[in-house]
Amino acid sequence: MRVVQLANLYSPVSGGLRTAVDRLGRGYVEAGHRRALVVPGPSYTRRETEAGLVITVPGPSVAPGYRFVLDPRPVLRVLGGLRPDVIEVSDKATLTVAARWGRRRGVRTVLFSHERLDAVLAPRTPPWVPLEAVADRWNRRLTAAFDAVVVTSAFAAAEFARVGAPALHRVPLGVDLDTFHPAPPDEPGAGGGVRLVHLGRLSTEKRPDLALRTLRELRRQGVPARLDVVGDGPLSGALRTYARRENLPVRFHGHVPGRAEIARLLARADVALATCPYESFGLAVLEALACGTPVVAADRGAARELLAAGAGLAVPPDAASFADGVRRVLRLPGEERRAAARARAERYPWDATVTGMLDVLAPGTPPP
């Protein structure tokens, strides 16, 4: 089977989307299929890799490190040359024209939904905008255009279930259990006190400010906590200013390109903070759990679906609740909570994700 993956906003700094697209593509090749990836870049390029063909088409920069295909016609021309059996689209905007292209040619098309539309729009629109109605209108168009829609969580599925999507499949993402693993027992820690970590893009919808406010609240309560912030984004400057003003022990690591280094930072922490209330899955949560680090997550969005007894808590997204959640998690014996976190992550190997996606991508796949 020739699988062509299309993705917008795919870049070295695009976090979960890039991780998912790459791991799935590698899995398709390992399963014996031919895979090609088409993404935006500064110009047209074409190169062969161990994980298949990678093609970039012109797409302007829309934010530092991110590009977006505004004119999809070059993508359609590339598809004509690739002659795919199935097209997997990781985009809900310009690249969705591939669905119409595929239908005219008898090529199966699958939308991989990496975000919930109404949740993404919520922090960016005035409260009077009828977000649910706007999202429903667009999602009806998507479900009519594509042969199948894939979501990764119950939270992500809700917006498509709301419009009666006829071919909706739920395929959870996975985690690299070899790269993300608990620290050796004798590995030195990061100094005294409670070690917190926040992994994610520093943008408004991710609520990274809540991690710093949680740290401030814990220290106000007399808890000697410190925080590692892993990631970059438009709020970086404001967060650094806040940390200096409040005299908070925060280390900003910026974008960390190496997965092994990210795993080391996660494994050395006592608790990971998953502050975003709009996550459609929560890959960073799963990576922390795989490192044996329990998670305090927002009690809305999909991140809470990844937690289990002993592996973390879901709490309201405010500093007092997060601080209380951290203290409650730390009351559990260290070995017990780390074992519970790792055991939870082991339920999500990437092999299962690849198998689930191949079942959906195969031409002739019936609705669930």
Side-chain angles (χ1 to χ4, degrees):
M1 180 169 63
R2 181 64 179 266
V3 181
V4 175
Q5 295 174 294
L6 307 181
N8 257 328
L9 302 175
Y10 172 101
S11 80
V13 299
S14 52
L17 183 146
R18 182 185 178 116
T19 298
V21 169
D22 286 352
R23 289 305 304 245
L24 287 171
R26 190 183 314 162
Y28 301 157
V29 171
E30 291 172 353
H33 301 283
R34 294 179 299 157
R35 174 252 192 172
L37 171 64
V38 184
V39 295
S43 61
Y44 178 87
T45 65
R46 182 185 181 103
R47 60 189 175 89
E48 290 285 352
T49 73
E50 292 182 355
L53 181 64
V54 177
I55 297 173
T56 65
V57 297
S61 175
V62 293
Y66 290 88
R67 291 183 177 274
F68 195 88
V69 173
L70 293 179
D71 180 1
R73 288 175 295 181
V75 175
L76 299 181
R77 288 195 290 270
V78 167
L79 286 176
L82 293 174
R83 302 180 64 182
D85 297 304
V86 60
I87 304 169
E88 174 190 297
V89 180
S90 291
D91 179 56
K92 292 182 178 178
T94 58
L95 298 181
T96 59
V97 298
R100 185 168 63 249
W101 184 94
R103 184 155 293 175
R104 289 173 177 170
R105 293 160 177 80
V107 176
R108 181 171 175 79
T109 58
V110 175
L111 175 68
F112 196 117
S113 178
H114 291 270
E115 68 287 311
R116 182 165 151 171
L117 190 58
D118 53 1
V120 169
L121 293 175
R124 297 177 169 87
T125 53
W128 52 263
V129 175
L131 286 182
E132 188 169 299
V134 171
D136 286 355
R137 189 176 302 116
W138 187 250
N139 287 332
R140 285 191 186 95
R141 293 180 61 182
L142 293 177
T143 57
F146 285 88
D147 295 304
V149 175
V150 172
V151 295
T152 56
S153 65
F155 174 75
E159 67 170 349
F160 288 104
R162 204 165 62 213
V163 299
L168 182 62
H169 303 260
R170 183 175 167 187
V171 182
L173 298 181
V175 62
D176 182 343
L177 293 166
D178 294 326
T179 298
F180 293 90
H181 58 79
D186 58 347
E187 181 172 318
V194 174
R195 296 162 297 180
L196 306 176
V197 64
H198 176 275
L199 169 61
R201 178 167 164 75
L202 305 184
S203 55
T204 301
E205 72 278 5
K206 297 291 187 180
R207 288 296 312 275
D209 63 293
L210 180 53
L212 274 69
R213 296 181 193 281
T214 299
L215 174 65
R216 180 178 180 273
E217 177 64 18
L218 285 167
R219 293 185 69 83
R220 188 190 67 79
Q221 296 174 10
V223 178
R226 62 186 64 222
L227 173 67
D228 285 294
V229 175
V230 184
D232 206 349
L235 295 184
S236 176
L239 294 173
R240 291 171 187 266
T241 299
Y242 177 81
R244 286 194 300 270
R245 185 177 71 239
E246 299 295 331
N247 195 29
L248 297 176
V250 183
R251 183 178 179 188
F252 291 91
H253 296 264
H255 173 66
V256 177
R259 307 300 288 169
E261 176 61 14
I262 293 175
R264 188 185 69 83
L265 290 167
L266 291 173
R268 285 160 59 94
D270 296 301
V271 180
L273 305 178
T275 55
C276 179
Y278 309 112
E279 290 288 2
S280 62
F281 182 71
L283 189 57
V285 171
L286 200 52
E287 291 171 345
L289 294 174
C291 291
T293 301
V295 178
V296 175
D299 65 353
R300 56 205 69 176
R304 59 183 174 176
E305 298 175 33
L306 296 171
L307 302 181
L313 289 172
V315 300
D318 62 77
S321 298
F322 260 71
D324 179 65
V326 169
R327 299 185 72 159
R328 288 163 60 193
V329 166
L330 292 175
R331 291 191 192 114
L332 294 173
E335 290 186 7
E336 180 180 323
R337 65 180 186 253
R338 289 192 177 278
R342 175 67 183 186
R344 184 62 175 167
E346 288 174 347
R347 297 168 61 94
Y348 295 88
W350 273 115
D351 287 350
T353 306
V354 172
T355 298
M357 279 302 299
L358 286 173
D359 287 344
V360 178
L361 293 176
T365 299

